[in-house]
Amino acid sequence: MSSHLDQTLAPLLAERRAAHLYRTRKTLQSPQQPEVMVDGKKYLAFCSNDYLGLANHPDVIAALQTAASYYGVGSGASHLVAGHSSEHHALEEELAAFTGRERALLFSTGYMANMGAITALVGQGDAIFEDRLNHASLLDAGLLSGARFQRFLHNDLSNLQNRLDKTAAARKLIVVDGVFSMDGDTAPLPELAAVAQKNAAWLMVDDAHGFGCLGKTGAGTCEHFGLTQNEVPILMGTLGKAAGSFGAFIAGSETLVESLIQFARPYIYTTAMPPAVAAATRASLRLIQTEHWRREQLNKLIAHFRAGAQALNLQLMESASPIQPVVIGDEASALLISQKLAERGILIIAIRPPTVAAGSSRLRITFSAQHSIVQVDQLLAALADILQEMPREVAHD
Ligand SMILES: *Cc1c(COP(=O)(O)O)cnc(C)c1O
């Protein structure tokens, strides 16, 4: 007889499956690259966040191997105990220089960086304002912080201002994604910085998808808009996406970083990332800064895809980033198209609620500098084929 635990959980799983919301994992049997092996089958994949194609780069691999032969694998302790190695330290200094901030602080993941920074900066009696399309880690952190938590309409400055007008909180924190992870569009950062300044609020930008991709040198959304530490005092970036490695950082003033070292619990109470991972990230940071062709190639692929998708009447979003979602609508159709693509050897994940709003299920198509124009044409041809087979309301609404 199954346990009380299983008897409680099983109906919830059944419910999720019936709603076409059940999530399953695929098993990758190759490196992360455009042509992957998944569950024994080869696919052309458009679903990784390895935007610059660095996750499997020989320089990055070599840096990891060399550092592992010197430092070993595990860091063995948290940063504040004895786990902070010279590779971590050098990476922090390089990240600060690259983003034009006084200091940077490494975290083991982006989820933890957001959790750590937000809960260290605001609490009971304070107020936090988040774009309603912010990443789950930012929303979770806002809720956990104990500050009065409000979500404002997506990229809507007057909605934000109305909410700011009604608060008497001493500390006011505004938090947005630089590039929104499921839509690919960009936050209006210069205007947000002005609103923050006018209202004596602090602005935090999660640049998980801008770092490496946007800006002249790849330093991200702040560089794209020319915003300094004064305008965006709390900058978060992740290292598992365009940097092709693992981990995350918060960059800002000396005082901010020292405060996080003292008060950010997900920084303090966790094992430091392996030093070799930091060394690998340093190698990818050099590639981000020197190989501008990667961003140029990405932009070519994006433009080519958008032109082709528009010719097919696909519903694109206002995105200049490597995230190019195609909105399908209902969950079942999004899943069906994703399955039909898989039958044709193309891997794209259908993103469904609760990750996106009900009725806005989508194919989250992402590009990497390793993709070719020919591969984008293969994707467009497959989409054209599949949509022709689908009922009209799905294909054109
Ligand atoms: C991926 C992501 C994170 C989490 O970063 P991890 O390093 O994967 O934990 C945070 N914010 C945004 C916007 C993301 O896309």
Side-chain angles (χ1 to χ4, degrees), residues 205-227:
V205 174
D206 172 341
D207 211 19
H209 300 279
F211 182 76
C213 295
L214 295 188
K216 196 158 173 284
T217 68
T221 315
C222 290
E223 183 188 31
H224 171 78
F225 286 116
L227 299 174

Side-chain angles (χ1 to χ4, degrees), residues 285-301:
L285 206 54
R286 284 191 285 277
L287 292 164
I288 290 173
Q289 290 172 283
T290 53
E291 298 196 346
H292 293 268
W293 67 263
R294 291 178 186 274
R295 277 181 294 284
E296 285 155 20
Q297 168 72 358
L298 254 186
N299 290 333
K300 268 187 222 157
L301 297 166

Side-chain angles (χ1 to χ4, degrees), residues 157 160 174 176 187-205 222 225 227-233:
L157 294 154
L160 170 61
I174 302 169
V176 296
L189 291 190
E191 292 81 2
L192 281 164
V195 169
Q197 199 122 41
K198 198 174 111 204
N199 294 275
W202 305 337
L203 179 59
M204 171 171 174
V205 174
C222 290
F225 286 116
L227 299 174
T228 63
Q229 184 179 296
N230 278 337
E231 286 125 350
V232 179

Side-chain angles (χ1 to χ4, degrees), residues 109-111 114 135 137 177 179 181 206 208-209 236 238 241 247-248:
T109 71
Y111 199 110
N114 285 337
H135 189 261
S137 57
D177 281 19
V179 171
S181 54
D206 172 341
H209 300 279
M236 178 274 198
T238 61
K241 288 168 179 153

Side-chain angles (χ1 to χ4, degrees), residues 114 117-119 121-123 125-131 134 137-152 160 163-164 167 169 171-176 201-202 204:
N114 285 337
I118 290 173
T119 57
L121 294 174
V122 290
D126 303 326
I128 181 165
F129 304 85
E130 299 206 26
D131 189 291
N134 272 0
S137 57
L138 295 170
L139 302 173
D140 292 356
L143 286 167
L144 191 77
S145 70
R148 171 129 198 274
F149 177 72
Q150 303 192 43
R151 297 208 273 177
F152 59 91
L160 170 61
R163 291 169 183 277
L164 282 161
T167 182
R171 296 182 181 191
K172 296 174 283 252
L173 179 63
I174 302 169
V175 188
V176 296
W202 305 337
M204 171 171 174

Side-chain angles (χ1 to χ4, degrees), residues 309-388:
Q310 259 145 14
L312 293 175
N313 266 329
L314 293 178
Q315 195 187 329
L316 290 177
M317 308 207 79
E318 207 151 308
S319 165
S321 75
I323 304 166
Q324 293 292 328
V326 171
V327 177
I328 302 299
D330 71 283
E331 293 76 56
S333 305
L335 266 187
L336 184 63
I337 296 175
S338 165
Q339 276 156 14
K340 284 175 178 282
L341 283 165
E343 284 161 20
R344 287 166 171 77
I346 294 180
L347 195 65
I348 291 172
I349 308 300
I351 306 282
R352 293 158 289 158
T355 308
V356 294
S360 77
S361 287
R362 64 198 63 180
L363 303 171
R364 183 174 181 270
I365 297 171
T366 55
F367 296 105
S368 150
Q370 296 292 100
H371 281 120
S372 67
I373 293 283
V374 172
Q375 289 172 328
V376 175
D377 283 336
Q378 285 171 355
L379 165 62
L380 288 165
L383 282 170
D385 247 28
I386 291 166
L387 292 176
Q388 214 153 38

